[in-house]
């Protein structure tokens, strides 16, 4: 299915105040790949992801999803294919109940109400917050909001899943549940995160960003275990790879 | 500032009330909007000296409040907050209009007082009607009623976004004030010199946040229309609701029922 | 300065609804032409901001009363007049619904009073004229301050007119004006200062917002003459409708005149008026006094009362009183029984 | 120094909508202790912390910091002693530049401007964002905001440090830097987090909350390595303790 190929070409983006957040980013992601995007704070991860769903548009370079270039005109098509979880769950929850919020997307595609209900329930169940369905989102705890935000995107059944720090604020069990879920999701997924352990478990390929540029792009196992490289990019080995308290290796 | 947080709290109370599922809540929003319209028109169309004729209008809020499970206290609090405005202007009537209107053996009541009470009751009823409408319908369903009434989409979207962002903004104000007070122990309120940067800051931040919210809506297929899933079609019951109430209002308007009851009673008494 | 439903007659309320709907429809058309994605959230946020600002009451120095911001000028400057007017409309809709501030019938008046004069008169005629020479902190300050004050003065005067034409209050015109205008002058100054500060801040942080709003608007190009001519027409039409409604029954201005002159009705202006009012009497459900209602009938029968206009004898007064109490009792009983029945249903359901 | 003792007695709190977030929490923390508060999403961690600085007040029970009960009247004293980093960094930044934001607290204590500058610079340096000092806070990336929020609290030199998920959104290197910093901070610190590895490294004592109640309260090493207990509370072993890829232990 060619429409799952994502091509990013020499992407440059400057925020209106002159901050150069992306400085020529190029990569190509093929169908079914699972990509971890890592990098220090301010490296440009969120900025990059926002380009993939057309929230920001590049100053230079181009992006295409499938064979469709991401432009203002093609937004409806793009957004139907790509589901994105933003870094800030508060930005993503805008209805009066969690249920309505998760149902918002499916309803926009005019699905019959039974189908909507099925989708809402299953997504809420997947992230483990079905019991919160009738509560207003602004009254949830930080992690509950995060889970709800993820559910809103799952309910849309996107072909490509883009997530900005999906595990932050989640408790370890919910994090584990999310990782399992993502493992079972066979479509393309792109995950920006500081959770190296998740990348290690989940993504076969990793892209390291630094100062708006791609520093490395390759197999996760190789990259994430390269102490020097990681150190250089303001990162660390996954915790699971660091000194083991049992055998004492470093 | 407490004023602000309080108002947010009020919005939320009404929001939550609108989430209930009672007979009244289930009536089609369009019919509720129209019924409210008729009610308001009839209420204000009463002449300024017609006091008794107004009274049967009170059945509408009483029936709705009880049927829709609306808690009385918060609603009445709201009414009491708004009434002073009306009283302020209405109170001039007794001052300027001193013609005796009701002449009883032991007391004479001037037209000014009658019209004052008439304004007061009308104020009370109209405020109540608006609050009941929102508390049984909710903003999104009112929006869908407006859509059926062919109000342009752009305006409805604007209305709904404003509505959403009010919570976002006020919440943010509350949290910023909290953070401020945490780092300025011993200070009461916010120093004047910091007001400017604080509001400016808030405005710009809310602005950017609003853009993010809007984008995240678009990312989920938003195309200018809020879809409220559980909206059913209009049924006979809905139309009966509207027609029934309207009939009742019109009858009240043309016949002064309390006066009839009164004279009947008096007649019996004789 | 929100008008309240209770102070409004259906005639005036309806007219203002119509006028507002007209302006809104026109604005929507204008906005739709040059809308971009950024503008929609901008309208939403600014609406929320002004909404919140309106919630904050400040005391007016030296008067002892308090007021709050209108915000119309801020909206016009940041969004342009058309989007500004629409945003003001949505703010007031929400206020009317959630806070019963103003009210649904008075909505037309309120939108008009707070939105029209600021967005379509003070903004183009004052603010834009001053700004035309180019942006500077000083010009933004004076322009914003002056436009805010004048916009609010017009709005306040409009409130006076609408209230008087509605005839629910006995306040004489002069007194009312003397009450409203100075208070709103004070509010206007505060509003002007705040608006100027906020606009100044945004101009420094995001100048493009303010310049875009002012540049993209067709209004900037229209000559002042055309605007004035348009306004004159609107004024004549609205005025005509107003006076038609106002003269359809003896109240408001006429009522006070009637009290002083002692004549039951002023000379009917001409035949048109009479046909109009007779038509109205037949079809109108709305106007105030065209109803044949019980109290009036009875009072007409009452023999020895001196006053020509409403007077009631002892009998009707008492029966009205008794009937009223009975009605209220009945209402209370109804409410209570519904409550009890529901409770029982709930109990049996459990 | 008795004023660093924190005593929480049978704390109960219900949110205005009736949600019971705390259900009788009791503990005592003595001077210089380092406490990790862990628990599933919605367990009540943030609610508990907000009580410690008097943002929320208990429905039942009482809290005292030193010998001062936390009440509306004692707030100025309490807040001078206790510095809190909120879960949401956005809430904590309200001035026009990062510098001014961090300087806000010290300036309120009427410190001389040189002292203020010294404090600001050292706190910004500690969290690694000295280079951002002249930027407006709302234009920072998620992790940069978090770092700035932490700096604002550090600059106040509090006696007691209360942090709600301080490491979330931080990149691994900043996280490491924060942990080192906290290790060198000898006063009392209370940290609510989902980062079990940090708790394991940093806190000698751990309190597990569940449904607004204290489930366990004891030495970290014992609690965090108890698989069953952790499982039960919706948690997991620290990643560093989970399967070691070198020695293969589980
Ligand atoms: N609205 C904005 N205006 C100006 N600059 C911005 C804005 N948002 C982010 N930046 C800057 O752009 C750069 C990249 O930010 P981005 O949010 O993409 O980083 P990130 O990799 O997601 O970081 P984090 O891991 O902290 O989330 C940073 O230097 C940041 O300060
Ligand atoms: N403003 C609020 N109104 C009502 N209920 C709330 C509010 N904030 C939080 N809650 C509820 O109170 C409970 C505890 O929330 P709290 O934020 O303390 O959890 P937490 O332990 O910090 O969770 P997390 O790890 O997700 O941050 C949750 O069930 C949450 O839904
Ligand atoms: Mg980011
Ligand atoms: Mg929390």
């Amino acid at each position: 299915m060619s429409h799952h190929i994502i091509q990013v070409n020499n992407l440059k983006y400057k925020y209106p105040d002159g901050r150069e957040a992306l400085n020529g980013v190029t990569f190509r992601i093929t169908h079914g790949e699972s990509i971890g995007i890592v990098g220090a704070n301010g490296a440009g991860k969120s900025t990059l992801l926002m380009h993939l769903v057309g929230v920001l548009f590049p100053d230079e370079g181009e992006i295409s999803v499938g064979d469709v270039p991401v432009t203002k005109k093609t937004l409806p098509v793009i957004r139907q294919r790509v589901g994105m979880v933003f870094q800030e769950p508060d930005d993503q929850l805008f209805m009066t109940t969690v249920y309505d919020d998760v149902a918002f997307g499916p309803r926009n595609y005019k699905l019959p109400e039974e189908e909507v209900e099925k989708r809402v329930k299953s997504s809420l169940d997947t992230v483990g917050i079905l019991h919160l369905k009738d509560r207003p989102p602004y009254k949830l705890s930080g992690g509950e909001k995060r889970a709800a935000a993820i559910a809103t995107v799952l309910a849309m059944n996107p072909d490509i899943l883009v997530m900005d720090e999906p595990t932050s604020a989640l408790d370890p069990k919910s994090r584990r549940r999310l990782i399992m879920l993502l493992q079972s999701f066979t479509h393309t997924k792109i995950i920006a995160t500081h959770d190296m352990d998740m990348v290690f478990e989940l993504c076969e390929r990793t892209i390291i960003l630094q100062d708006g540029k791609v520093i490395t792009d390759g197999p996760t196992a190789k990259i994430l275990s390269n102490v020097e490289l990681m150190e250089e990019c303001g990162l660390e080995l996954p915790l699971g790879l660091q000194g083991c308290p049992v055998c004492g290796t470093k | 500032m407490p004023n602000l947080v309080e108002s947010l709290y009020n919005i939320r109370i009404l929001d939550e009330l609108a989430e209930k599922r009672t007979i009244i809540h289930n009536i089609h929003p369009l019919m509720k909007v129209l019924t409210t319209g008729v009610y308001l028109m009839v209420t204000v169309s009463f002449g300024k000296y017609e006091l008794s004729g107004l009274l049967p209008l009170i059945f509408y809020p009483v029936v709705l409040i009880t049927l829709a499970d609306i808690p009385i206290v918060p609603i009445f609090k709201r009414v009491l907050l708004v009434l002073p405005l009306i009283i302020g202007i209405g109170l001039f009537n007794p001052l300027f209009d001193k013609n005796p209107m009701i002449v009883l053996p032991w007391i004479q009541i001037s037209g000014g007082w009658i019209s004052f009470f008439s304004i007061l009751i009308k104020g009370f009823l109209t405020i109540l009607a608006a609050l009941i409408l929102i508390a049984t319908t909710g903003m999104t369903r009112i929006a869908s009623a407006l859509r059926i009434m062919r109000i342009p989409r752009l305006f409805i979207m604007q209305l709904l976004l404003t509505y959403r962002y009010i919570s976002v903004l006020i919440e943010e104000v509350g949290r910023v004030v909290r953070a401020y007070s945490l780092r300025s122990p011993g200070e009461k309120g916010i120093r004047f010199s910091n007001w400017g940067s604080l509001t400016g800051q808030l405005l710009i931040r809310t602005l950017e946040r609003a853009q993010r919210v809007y984008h995240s809506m678009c990312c989920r297929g938003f195309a200018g229309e809020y879809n409220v899933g559980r909206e059913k079609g209009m049924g006979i019951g809905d139309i009966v609701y509207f027609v029934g109430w309207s009939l009742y209002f019109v009858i009240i308007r043309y016949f002064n029922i309390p006066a009839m009851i009164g004279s009947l009673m008096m007649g019996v008494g004789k | 300065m929100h008008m309240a439903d209770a102070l409004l007659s259906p005639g005036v309320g309806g007219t203002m609804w119509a006028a507002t709907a007209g302006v809104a429809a026109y604005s929507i058309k204008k906005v739709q032409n040059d809308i971009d994605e950024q503008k929609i959230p901008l309208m939403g946020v600014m609406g929320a901001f002004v909404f919140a600002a309106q919630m904050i009451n400040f005391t007016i120095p030296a008067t002892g009363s308090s007021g709050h911001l209108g915000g119309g000028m801020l909206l016009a400057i940041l969004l342009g007049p058309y989007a500004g007017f629409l945003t003001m409309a949505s703010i007031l809709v929400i206020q009317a619904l959630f806070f019963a501030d103003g009210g649904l019938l008075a909505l037309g008046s309120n939108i008009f009073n707070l939105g029209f004069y600021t967005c379509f008169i003070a903004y183009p005629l004052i603010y834009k004229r001053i700004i035309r020479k180019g942006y500077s902190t000083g010009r933004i300050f004076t322009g914003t301050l002056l436009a805010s004050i004048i916009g609010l003065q017009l709005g306040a005067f409009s409130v006076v007119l609408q209230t008087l034409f509605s005839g629910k209050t006995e306040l004489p015109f002069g007194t009312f004006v003397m009450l409203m205008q100075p208070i709103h002058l004070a509010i206007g100054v505060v509003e002007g200062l705040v608006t100027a500060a906020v606009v100044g801040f945004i101009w420094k942080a995001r100048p493009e917002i303010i310049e875009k709003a002012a540049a993209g608007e067709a209004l900037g190009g229209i000559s002042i003459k055309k605007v004035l001519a348009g306004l004159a027409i609107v004024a004549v039409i609205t005025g005509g409708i107003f006076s038609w409604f106002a003269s359809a029954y003896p109240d408001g201005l006429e009522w006070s005149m009637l009290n002083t002159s002692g004549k039951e009705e002023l000379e009917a202006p001409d035949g048109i008026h009479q046909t109009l009012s007779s038509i109205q009497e037949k079809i109108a459900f709305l106007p105030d006094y065209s109803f044949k209602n019980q109290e009036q009938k009875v009072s007409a029968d009452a023999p020895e009362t001196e006053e020509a206009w409403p007077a009631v004898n002892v009998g009707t007064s008492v029966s009205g009183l008794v009937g009223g109490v009975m009605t209220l009792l009945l209402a209370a009983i109804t409410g209570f029984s519904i409550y009890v029945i529901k409770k029982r249903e709930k109990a049996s359901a459990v």
Side-chain angles (χ1 to χ4, degrees), chain A, chain B, chain C:
Chain A
M1 280 191 282
S2 78
H3 68 261
H4 293 177
I5 288 179
I6 295 171
Q7 176 81 47
V8 173
N9 252 339
N10 191 31
L11 199 64
K12 292 192 183 174
Y13 182 77
K14 223 190 238 178
Y15 277 99
D17 65 343
R19 187 86 179 179
E20 287 182 11
L22 295 179
N23 234 319
V25 171
T26 304
F27 57 77
R28 181 188 165 87
I29 298 174
T30 53
H31 174 62
E33 269 193 294
S34 168
I35 314 280
I37 295 187
V38 303
N41 289 137
K45 303 179 292 300
S46 301
T47 312
L48 173 61
L49 295 199
M50 286 197 262
H51 279 83
L52 297 182
V53 286
V55 166
L56 297 176
F57 292 97
D59 295 329
E60 250 179 74
E62 58 276 317
I63 311 160
S64 57
V65 173
D67 299 325
V68 185
V70 179
T71 61
K72 283 212 170 140
K73 284 214 185 96
T74 57
L75 278 190
V77 190
I78 298 293
R79 289 177 172 172
Q80 191 151 8
R81 285 189 194 162
V82 186
M84 170 154 175
V85 178
F86 286 85
Q87 187 162 1
E88 204 60 68
D90 261 324
D91 293 345
Q92 219 156 351
L93 304 168
F94 41 77
M95 300 290 283
T96 38
T97 66
V98 171
Y99 185 99
D100 279 342
D101 232 321
V102 178
F104 180 86
R107 280 177 184 160
N108 274 331
Y109 291 123
K110 306 272 187 297
L111 296 181
E113 197 57 28
E114 309 86 70
E115 170 68 12
V116 170
E117 181 168 347
K118 225 176 64 194
R119 283 210 194 173
V120 172
K121 293 221 164 127
S122 92
S123 344
L124 285 176
D125 202 30
T126 311
V127 295
I129 54 163
L130 188 53
H131 59 288
L132 298 176
K133 74 179 192 323
D134 295 318
R135 299 195 58 205
Y138 53 83
K139 285 190 177 164
L140 300 181
S141 80
E144 289 166 345
K145 276 184 199 166
R146 165 74 62 199
I150 295 174
T152 63
V153 173
L154 295 181
M156 312 241 331
N157 268 352
D159 293 336
I160 297 167
L161 209 47
V162 175
M163 299 189 153
D164 200 349
E165 304 212 22
T167 54
S168 95
L170 287 186
D171 63 38
K173 208 175 203 160
S174 309
R175 171 179 171 276
R176 176 69 45 200
R177 205 187 295 114
L178 179 68
I179 294 180
M180 311 265 260
L181 162 76
L182 290 176
Q183 259 160 352
S184 71
F185 180 86
T186 54
H187 299 316
T188 312
K189 44 191 176 279
I190 303 173
I191 302 171
T193 186
H194 296 302
D195 185 344
M196 300 298 149
D197 296 84
M198 172 175 63
V199 174
F200 198 76
E201 264 183 72
L202 197 59
C203 309
E204 67 264 23
R205 180 174 155 201
T206 298
I207 295 176
I208 300 190
L209 278 190
Q210 190 171 29
D211 294 329
K213 279 200 271 305
V214 175
I215 294 283
T216 331
D217 176 351
T220 299
K222 231 185 197 166
I223 292 179
L224 287 201
S225 57
N226 184 340
V227 184
E228 276 151 51
L229 177 66
M230 295 297 276
E231 191 67 29
E232 209 173 276
C233 302
L235 302 172
E236 264 191 2
L237 298 190
L239 295 170
L241 289 190
Q242 294 178 24
C244 165
V246 179
C247 70
T249 43
K250 193 78 205 179
Chain B
M1 229 23 88
N3 212 334
L4 266 180
V5 177
E6 169 93 347
S7 64
L8 182 61
Y9 190 62
N10 276 313
I11 290 186
R12 285 178 176 172
I13 287 180
L14 291 171
D15 257 351
E16 274 160 33
L17 289 179
E19 284 301 315
K20 290 190 177 179
R21 285 285 150 264
T22 67
I23 317 175
I24 302 295
H25 285 81
N26 286 334
I27 286 162
H28 196 277
L30 181 61
M31 290 300 120
K32 271 189 278 188
V33 170
L34 292 181
T35 309
T36 308
V38 174
Y39 181 75
L40 291 176
M41 283 302 234
V42 168
T43 307
V44 302
S45 77
F46 274 92
K48 63 180 164 191
Y49 297 122
E50 292 176 82
L51 201 52
S52 56
L54 268 173
L55 294 177
L57 285 171
I58 205 167
F59 275 91
Y60 174 74
V62 166
V63 169
L64 260 62
I65 284 178
T66 39
L67 278 182
D69 265 344
I70 299 176
I72 295 176
V73 177
I75 294 285
F76 272 67
K77 259 195 201 153
R78 278 250 52 96
V79 176
L80 288 183
L81 274 179
V82 186
L83 266 186
L85 254 158
I86 296 167
I87 295 176
I89 293 197
L91 211 51
F92 284 99
N93 286 8
L95 287 180
F96 287 99
D97 177 2
K98 297 208 159 115
N99 290 341
M101 277 274 300
I102 291 187
V103 191
L104 295 178
W106 61 95
I107 199 172
Q108 279 196 359
I109 302 178
S110 72
W113 280 109
I114 302 276
S115 61
F116 168 69
F117 279 111
S118 152
I119 287 180
L120 202 64
I121 292 177
K122 281 180 202 161
F124 182 76
L125 294 178
T126 48
I127 295 168
L128 215 50
L131 291 176
I132 290 174
L133 173 66
I134 191 74
T136 59
T137 315
M139 198 62 200
T140 38
R141 298 180 74 222
I142 285 188
S144 69
L146 293 180
R147 190 71 201 111
I148 300 173
M149 288 157 78
R150 304 254 164 245
I151 306 278
R153 201 165 282 182
L154 187 121
F155 181 73
I156 292 177
M157 181 155 75
Q158 147 71 15
L159 183 65
L160 287 169
L161 289 181
T162 304
Y163 171 64
R164 257 321 291 183
Y165 293 152
I166 285 170
S167 312
V168 173
L169 184 65
I170 296 183
E171 217 169 69
E172 207 137 284
V173 173
R175 290 194 305 229
V176 166
V177 170
R178 180 176 84 192
Y180 183 102
S181 66
L182 276 181
R183 278 195 280 152
S184 53
E187 218 177 283
K188 280 214 170 78
I190 291 171
R191 229 178 306 138
F192 191 70
S193 59
N194 286 324
W195 266 100
S197 91
L198 229 67
T199 32
Q201 206 49 216
L202 264 171
L203 183 63
I204 300 249
R205 253 176 54 191
T206 321
L207 225 131
E208 305 205 327
R209 173 176 212 168
Q211 278 170 4
R212 294 197 303 269
V213 173
Y214 178 73
H215 284 307
S216 87
M217 290 168 75
C218 289
C219 284
R220 284 196 269 150
F222 180 67
E225 213 170 351
Y226 258 43
N227 294 288
V228 191
R230 62 173 89 78
E231 206 53 80
K232 51 177 176 81
M234 216 180 302
I236 304 251
D238 300 316
I239 294 169
V240 167
Y241 174 85
F242 171 62
V243 174
W245 275 121
S246 302
L247 260 180
Y248 174 68
F249 300 149
V250 170
I251 290 172
I252 295 174
R253 184 62 190 89
Y254 279 97
F255 304 96
N256 186 339
I257 304 211
M260 287 171 158
I261 297 178
S263 41
L264 209 71
M265 300 271 300
M266 302 289 288
V268 171
K270 271 175 212 165
Chain C
M1 68 174 225
H2 287 15
M3 286 288 288
D5 280 356
L7 297 175
L8 218 55
S9 72
V12 175
T15 313
M16 296 316 295
W17 256 98
T20 299
V23 179
Y26 182 68
S27 299
I28 284 176
K29 213 175 228 164
K30 280 293 200 182
V31 169
Q32 249 157 0
N33 288 339
D34 64 358
I35 196 89
D36 62 351
E37 267 210 351
Q38 301 293 313
K39 193 143 193 172
I40 294 170
L42 194 57
M43 286 165 74
V45 183
M46 283 313 303
F49 191 81
V50 169
F51 181 96
Q54 289 189 350
M55 290 285 124
I56 301 174
N57 273 298
F58 53 82
T59 41
I60 303 160
T63 61
S65 66
S66 71
H68 62 74
L69 303 184
M73 190 48 59
L74 185 62
L75 293 176
I77 292 174
L78 294 185
L79 304 170
Y82 305 108
F85 182 81
L86 291 175
T87 307
M88 180 52 86
S90 62
I91 294 169
L92 291 169
V93 169
I94 294 172
Q95 278 192 354
L97 282 171
F98 282 87
F99 296 90
D101 216 355
L104 294 175
L105 261 189
L107 198 51
S109 310
N110 284 324
I111 295 173
F112 201 86
N113 297 344
L114 285 168
F116 182 80
Y117 300 107
T118 44
C119 293
F120 293 109
I121 294 186
Y123 175 76
L125 297 186
I126 295 162
Y127 175 80
K128 285 211 80 172
R129 302 215 96 180
I130 293 176
I131 288 304
R132 208 165 39 178
K133 299 177 201 101
Y135 288 90
S136 76
T137 319
R139 278 197 211 107
I140 287 184
F141 186 81
T142 17
T144 309
L145 186 65
L146 270 182
S148 301
I149 293 175
I150 291 179
L152 204 64
Q153 283 293 301
L154 290 171
F157 188 63
S158 180
V159 169
V160 172
L161 290 183
Q162 289 159 10
T163 312
L164 287 180
F165 281 131
S166 294
K168 303 268 151 141
T169 166
E170 304 293 340
L171 260 181
F173 178 75
T175 319
F176 202 4
V177 168
M178 285 314 294
L179 268 173
M180 288 291 279
Q181 303 305 131
I183 285 186
H184 282 92
L185 185 63
I187 297 179
V189 171
V190 177
E191 159 140 32
L193 289 174
V194 174
T195 311
V198 173
V199 172
F201 181 89
I202 296 179
W203 187 64
K204 276 192 205 116
R206 305 271 303 262
E208 80 278 5
I209 290 179
I210 288 178
E211 283 160 24
K212 215 161 105 193
E217 297 305 335
L219 213 81
I222 290 180
S223 76
I224 300 297
K225 259 187 213 156
K226 266 191 202 159
V227 175
L228 279 181
L231 278 175
I233 295 172
V234 171
V236 168
I237 294 176
T238 0
I241 299 174
F242 264 150
S243 53
W244 172 55
F245 272 108
S247 58
Y249 39 83
D251 64 6
L253 286 174
E254 282 183 48
W255 173 234
S256 51
M257 281 190 256
L258 178 138
N259 270 346
T260 47
S261 71
K263 267 188 260 172
E264 167 124 13
E265 191 153 327
L266 296 178
E267 295 281 324
D270 53 39
I272 293 180
H273 171 232
Q274 275 179 348
T275 32
L276 273 183
S277 60
S278 73
I279 290 174
Q280 202 202 341
E281 217 152 274
K282 288 203 184 85
I283 61 166
F285 170 66
L286 306 179
D288 272 10
Y289 297 107
S290 49
F291 288 101
K292 308 272 177 291
N293 63 55
Q294 208 68 13
E295 272 170 27
Q296 265 171 280
K297 246 192 233 158
V298 176
S299 76
D301 295 341
E304 74 285 83
T305 27
E306 291 294 318
E307 287 90 350
W309 186 251
V312 178
N313 68 5
V314 180
T316 32
S317 295
V318 172
S319 65
L321 216 65
V322 170
V325 171
M326 292 293 299
T327 310
L328 291 183
L329 257 171
L330 212 63
I333 292 170
T334 313
F336 191 69
S337 34
I338 294 178
Y339 176 76
V340 168
I341 291 170
K342 284 193 69 163
K343 216 171 183 186
R344 227 181 260 154
E345 262 173 18
K346 233 179 240 167
S348 65
V350 169

